[in-house]
Amino acid sequence: MNRIIVGRLSVNVSGLRVLQRSFCSSVAEKESEVKQSFTNNDDQYDVAVVGGGMVGMALACSLASMPLTKHLSVAIIDSNPALGKSNFIKKEDPPDPRVSTVTPATISFFKEIGAWQYVQQHRHAYFDKMQVWDYTGLGYTKYNARDVNKEILGCVVENKVLHSSLLSCMQNTEFRKTIYPSRLTSMALLPSSSSISVDSTPSATTLFTKGHLAKLDLSDGKSLYAKLVVGADGGKSRVRELAGFKTTGWSYSQNAIICTVEHNKENYCAWQRFLPAGPIALLPIGDNFSNIVWTMNPKDASDCKSMNEDDFVKILNHALDYGYGPHPKSISSGSVDMFSWFRGDATLSAKECFEVPPRVVKLASERMVFPLSLKHANNYVSKRVVLIGDAAHTVHPLAGQGVNLGFGDASTLSRIIAEGIAVGADIGEVSLLKKYEAERKPANIVMMAVLDGFQKAYSVDFGPLNILRAAAFHGAQYISPLKRNIISYASGEQRLPLPLPLFT
Amino acid sequence: MGSNSISKMAARHLRILSGCNGALLSVRFFSDSTLAQEPIASTAIDSASVSPSINTAENHSQLNNNKKHSAPSSLKHAELAKFSAIADTWWDAEGPYKPLHALNPTRLAFIRSTLCRHFRKDPYSARPFEGLNIVDVGCGGGILSEPLARMGATVTGIDAVEKNIKIARLHADLDPETSTIEYCCTTAEKLVEEQRKFDAVIGSEVIEHVADPAEFCKSLSALTVSEGATVISTINRSVRAYATAIIAAEHILHWLPKGTHQWSSFLTPEELVLILQRASIDVKEMAGFVYNPLTGRWSLSDDISVNFIAFGTKNS
């Protein structure tokens, strides 16, 4: 009983300690009300997820789905009003231009947490083929899911569908979550109230009485306390700023323009053409719709945004087809003898010819423009704070990996939290969180380096480099082990591009 | 065992070392125990070698001959002063207790799996030890006791060093889940006298610092209820352990202060099983802890040549 009093009031502790010592020799009574008296404090949580976007909600869902973590109390801080209500996405709505390509690894994650069934109730498009080429017309690569004995390469889903599926998944569990519809203004590590100790040296107390809980102040004046603060609040993360994590990065001096377009026929293939100013990607969304992500320099992007729709459709078709350069020549299977010794068990797609992407008939949504940059937090964790998703890393959209890295972070973090709880650890301990960082940071950095490398390699129009790129296309197209490796890595099945034993 | 001659040589070597240094102060950093041996000399205490130790009633009578006794009052002051310098660091995960913090999750994994199986608790529950009384003998700063409390157990932590108990209590009071831990500055033998009984008795990294391991095991057994569990972890008395835990850890890497461990007081797994058997405890499972220097992490393995942990049940 005395222990509660010591914790709650700052009274003369030494007197109470004498009492406690004498209790030891007799059988002390065990109280179970202690826990309740602390949690009478309604605003104390185990985990506070700042940012209720796709990655933040995926983490919450994942915690809700595992037996070891489903008893945790979670606060979600996001000022987006959509979080509070059950979302109704009408089937007739045209597709939103903000979409994400989810890799098979992410699809498995969603299935594990029970959210994929909700995605399947809305518009989503699996694709099993991909064609990549550039404007020089010197080479192309076709990927097929059957090259690695899989059914799909990925699935394109609107962000709002992913988000609402995660929300629905969470609502159907008994998970203790509270949504705070406001924004984080400040954060501090709270010292314990029992910091007064009469008979021990000051250094003993200062070392560990700091930082038992983190205190979060919100913009509507409320405050809450948490053992662990998860920063899932995107590229301009406030948590990252408040926690003092430094970042490395640069802006790409490119903007991406995105929109939804419509075709006359169905499309099950993902297309990407590298143009001198940046790649243009055409991704199937389903129902004859596709999503366009076109990277170009900022001035052209704003021109494209403001021009009228018909002109925009014309230049889109131009960019996908004959614009900027010729079509690559399809190489029929008989004549490439120099690659025959690489072939081994040749992939199905090695024999496929170059195809022209489907023609865009009309624009089906407004055009949006986003600046592109690379950013990486130097550290993902500190005491009681951890970053996931775009708060930790932002990448170029050219390979559709960004949000998949974020989902990978969420999956790993929830697993690490479960492992910590299994051995009774304090979930805000740096040593536990460092395990998450040790797993995700190398994988994220490698992916960012690969994508950044591609971005730089494809933005230079220089004869010898063009030939090199063509050789790279041919290599990926015909060297089967390389192609399989690329597909596995891009699907999220493989953590690193090369099988380095040290990191696995 | 052929290690006998080596052990005698090593013991002699250590005695010579201790004579030179003046004070052989042994407090474990790898372990939580403070049932340590009495320091050798009150003077010439090297300020660099920290860890003091406190007399315990039963160790007094069983001390080595070439250790000098000194007036307890003057010694206590000096020891406490030194101890308070490092006692703060119990909970500094980057400080001198770093290896122990790194080892903690691994030994807890073993304890969790064996106790869940033995007491038929749900291994997927977040609080599998709900309803179990566990005593952590030689709890130190409470590094093992706190996670056990978070797993739902009713934990009693005992240690012979008053300062450790103070630190343990202060830290445990920070978290409502661990503030229920009962900490006592006492010994296993005293608890036996009080006729306390526990479902599980854990003595992790203690027995290598006790003067009479057989008596210690008898006390642990007396504290365990019939059909209860006893878990002991320690370091093997093997040549490999000498190279790793003493030469590498103490002299080369300086993870532990020199003289923390005495190779001659290590027990081999066979000896531990035997003395536990004589104390009516059947050892059912044993595992080793292996350190990976590349990742800096410990893991459970079948290799019991250096650190090992044993789980036994009390015969009825």
Side-chain angles (χ1 to χ4, degrees):
Chain A
M1 201 64 85
N2 289 325
R3 290 185 203 280
I4 316 173
I5 303 171
V6 167
R8 300 290 260 157
L9 313 171
S10 40
V11 289
N12 187 351
V13 173
S14 61
L16 286 166
R17 290 206 187 281
V18 171
L19 273 171
Q20 282 171 357
R21 224 174 282 147
S22 64
F23 265 25
C24 268
S25 47
S26 59
V27 179
E29 43 183 52
K30 296 293 162 250
E31 333 83 346
S32 55
E33 314 104 56
V34 175
K35 192 169 177 184
Q36 286 160 15
S37 72
F38 269 87
T39 54
N40 274 342
N41 214 355
D42 277 336
D43 37 357
Q44 184 171 327
Y45 296 90
D46 293 312
V47 182
V49 180
V50 181
M54 290 188 284
V55 177
M57 295 308 283
L59 175 70
C61 244
S62 183
L63 290 175
S65 69
M66 289 191 290
L68 280 170
T69 53
K70 62 184 181 195
H71 65 286
L72 293 175
S73 59
V74 174
I76 301 170
I77 300 167
D78 194 314
S79 51
N80 180 2
L83 283 182
K85 330 184 198 96
S86 54
N87 292 301
F88 242 173
I89 300 180
K90 294 195 273 300
K91 292 219 189 325
E92 316 83 59
D93 280 346
D96 197 77
R98 274 167 301 197
V99 304
S100 300
T101 316
V102 288
T103 57
T106 301
I107 297 177
S108 313
F109 172 55
F110 267 63
K111 283 185 179 153
E112 263 168 39
I113 63 181
W116 191 250
Q117 48 174 323
Y118 299 102
V119 174
Q120 288 174 314
Q121 290 167 7
H122 297 100
R123 188 187 294 117
H124 62 288
Y126 293 106
F127 62 95
D128 58 349
K129 292 201 290 275
M130 193 155 102
Q131 178 175 291
V132 186
W133 73 112
D134 70 351
Y135 64 96
T136 58
L138 294 171
Y140 69 98
T141 311
K142 280 188 93 84
Y143 298 98
N144 193 313
R146 284 180 183 69
D147 297 339
V148 289
N149 301 320
K150 293 260 160 51
E151 299 281 313
I152 53 163
L153 284 176
C155 185
V156 184
V157 191
E158 290 155 75
N159 288 355
K160 65 181 189 198
V161 169
L162 285 171
H163 195 221
S164 75
S165 309
L166 290 166
L167 272 175
S168 311
C169 175
M170 271 229 317
Q171 269 153 12
N172 291 345
T173 62
E174 295 153 357
F175 196 51
R176 276 185 297 158
K177 64 190 176 299
T178 316
I179 297 183
Y180 280 81
S182 104
R183 258 175 295 117
L184 180 68
T185 50
S186 78
M187 188 169 76
L189 291 181
L190 183 76
S192 155
S193 54
S194 63
S195 51
I196 303 172
S197 172
V198 177
D199 44 356
S200 49
T201 54
S203 55
T205 52
T206 45
L207 226 118
F208 57 76
T209 51
K210 277 194 283 200
H212 165 61
L213 285 176
K215 181 179 185 212
L216 299 155
D217 296 312
L218 306 179
S219 55
D220 60 1
K222 290 207 189 109
S223 296
L224 57 110
Y225 302 87
K227 286 191 195 154
L228 177 65
V229 178
V230 179
D233 44 351
K236 300 191 189 65
S237 168
R238 181 100 176 108
V239 173
R240 185 181 65 209
E241 188 189 325
L242 288 171
F245 290 124
K246 299 224 174 8
T247 58
T248 311
W250 45 86
S251 100
Y252 282 123
S253 57
Q254 281 177 327
N255 286 2
I257 183 166
I258 62 173
C259 61
T260 313
V261 297
E262 204 175 335
H263 307 286
N264 278 330
K265 55 176 181 167
E266 283 177 338
N267 171 29
Y268 292 116
C269 181
W271 311 86
Q272 177 147 298
R273 187 178 190 213
F274 286 93
L275 301 175
I280 178 169
L282 184 76
L283 303 166
I285 316 183
D287 304 334
N288 289 2
F289 288 109
S290 290
N291 180 265
I292 293 270
V293 180
W294 192 357
T295 307
M296 57 180 83
N297 61 53
K299 185 175 171 312
D300 291 340
S302 51
D303 287 343
C304 281
K305 182 170 178 182
S306 45
M307 66 171 65
N308 73 50
E309 289 195 8
D310 293 327
D311 288 339
F312 184 61
V313 169
K314 268 206 206 75
I315 64 166
L316 264 183
N317 282 320
H318 183 72
L320 287 170
D321 202 345
Y322 275 107
Y324 308 93
H327 287 168
K329 279 197 271 298
S330 303
I331 299 180
S332 55
S333 53
S335 57
V336 191
D337 285 314
M338 76 165 140
F339 288 114
S340 58
W341 61 280
F342 274 142
R343 242 183 257 153
D345 46 348
T347 52
L348 180 71
S349 49
K351 300 191 187 68
E352 283 175 27
C353 298
F354 172 80
E355 279 174 57
V356 180
R359 218 172 67 83
V360 171
V361 169
K362 73 182 191 64
L363 200 59
S365 80
E366 54 165 19
R367 289 155 270 177
M368 295 183 178
V369 177
F370 296 104
L372 299 177
S373 62
L374 176 112
K375 201 182 256 193
H376 188 247
N378 294 348
N379 287 303
Y380 292 0
V381 314
S382 77
K383 193 163 167 79
R384 306 211 174 276
V385 178
V386 62
L387 298 177
I388 60 174
D390 277 2
H393 44 74
T394 9
V395 298
H396 198 280
L398 65 82
Q401 291 296 328
V403 80
N404 293 296
L405 291 179
F407 287 133
D409 290 348
S411 163
T412 304
L413 181 62
S414 68
R415 184 173 33 89
I416 295 285
I417 292 178
E419 282 172 12
I421 294 199
V423 287
D426 175 4
I427 55 176
E429 261 171 32
V430 178
S431 51
L432 180 71
L433 299 173
K434 283 263 183 231
K435 286 189 198 164
Y436 154 77
E437 188 183 48
E439 209 178 302
R440 289 308 299 173
K441 210 171 177 194
N444 288 341
I445 287 183
V446 169
M447 177 63 84
M448 290 173 74
V450 167
L451 296 177
D452 193 56
F454 272 116
Q455 193 273 340
K456 291 189 163 51
Y458 283 97
S459 51
V460 179
D461 184 15
F462 181 51
L465 195 58
N466 293 355
I467 308 281
L468 268 179
R469 289 203 302 257
F473 277 124
H474 281 128
Q477 171 73 347
Y478 297 109
I479 302 177
S480 314
L482 176 63
K483 182 183 280 191
R484 290 204 181 92
N485 209 26
I486 293 174
I487 296 180
S488 287
Y489 182 55
S491 304
E493 311 286 347
Q494 205 174 298
R495 237 165 43 95
L496 297 163
L498 301 165
L500 292 169
L502 216 53
F503 288 119
T504 49
Chain B
M1 272 156 255
S3 58
N4 234 337
S5 55
I6 303 173
S7 76
K8 282 203 195 107
M9 193 177 75
R12 234 179 294 139
H13 173 73
L14 285 167
R15 252 174 256 140
I16 296 168
L17 255 186
S18 61
C20 290
N21 285 348
L24 181 71
L25 306 168
S26 46
V27 162
R28 67 280 176 289
F29 280 99
F30 251 144
S31 53
D32 268 344
S33 157
T34 46
L35 291 171
Q37 295 148 2
E38 208 204 24
I40 290 183
S42 54
T43 56
I45 292 174
D46 196 28
S47 55
S49 71
V50 255
S51 348
S53 51
I54 302 282
N55 306 339
T56 56
E58 79 277 18
N59 281 342
H60 238 294
S61 51
Q62 291 149 347
L63 286 171
N64 208 324
N65 283 335
N66 55 357
K67 291 192 185 133
K68 299 177 214 151
H69 295 252
S70 23
S73 55
S74 59
L75 200 58
K76 208 171 192 176
H77 225 311
E79 283 168 8
L80 278 182
K82 248 190 323 206
F83 214 138
S84 46
I86 49 107
D88 304 349
T89 62
W90 263 112
W91 287 99
D92 178 9
E94 299 297 317
Y97 285 109
K98 185 171 173 183
L100 192 59
H101 282 275
L103 184 67
N104 208 32
T106 318
R107 62 181 172 176
L108 279 162
F110 179 85
I111 292 172
R112 184 193 170 95
S113 95
T114 49
L115 260 50
C116 274
R117 214 174 312 131
H118 179 70
F119 291 108
R120 296 205 175 74
K121 300 286 185 180
D122 176 15
Y124 289 111
S125 157
R127 293 172 65 88
F129 294 160
E130 200 83 52
L132 288 181
N133 280 317
I134 304 189
V135 62
D136 180 9
V137 178
C139 61
I143 293 183
L144 185 62
S145 310
E146 287 194 14
L148 289 173
R150 283 198 198 98
M151 289 199 252
T154 310
V155 180
T156 305
I158 67 169
D159 201 277
V161 179
E162 177 65 43
K163 190 69 182 179
N164 288 345
I165 295 291
K166 282 205 181 80
I167 299 291
R169 254 198 219 114
L170 274 172
H171 193 266
D173 284 341
L174 293 180
D175 185 351
E177 284 187 346
T178 54
S179 53
T180 52
I181 300 177
E182 180 199 354
Y183 282 114
C184 296
C185 179
T186 176
T187 64
E189 288 67 23
K190 286 215 194 79
L191 275 191
V192 173
E193 280 168 32
E194 292 168 23
Q195 302 196 337
R196 299 279 305 262
K197 291 273 188 207
F198 298 92
D199 298 309
V201 173
I202 305 186
S204 178
E205 315 294 325
V206 181
I207 198 165
E208 67 262 25
H209 298 284
V210 170
D212 189 347
E215 278 305 310
F216 181 66
C217 283
K218 289 217 170 68
S219 307
L220 292 190
S221 171
L223 288 172
T224 319
V225 299
S226 154
E227 302 293 325
T230 307
V231 180
I232 294 184
S233 85
T234 181
I235 306 179
N236 194 347
R237 192 182 67 247
S238 62
V239 180
R240 193 150 158 225
Y242 185 70
T244 319
I246 296 188
I247 306 255
E250 292 181 15
H251 297 254
I252 299 178
L253 296 172
H254 302 294
W255 280 358
L256 315 173
K258 296 193 178 78
T260 300
H261 289 122
Q262 268 194 314
W263 190 76
S264 52
S265 23
F266 290 165
L267 290 174
T268 64
E270 295 83 1
E271 288 168 359
L272 183 64
V273 169
L274 200 59
I275 57 176
L276 281 173
Q277 211 169 50
R278 292 208 188 120
S280 326
I281 293 181
D282 283 332
V283 172
K284 294 274 164 63
E285 259 186 79
M286 209 181 275
F289 299 136
V290 167
Y291 181 70
N292 180 347
L294 291 173
T295 58
R297 293 215 202 109
W298 291 86
S299 49
L300 283 175
S301 102
D302 289 327
D303 179 4
I304 52 176
S305 60
V306 184
N307 292 74
F308 68 97
I309 186 167
F311 158 76
T313 54
K314 173 101 177 271
N315 296 334
S316 40

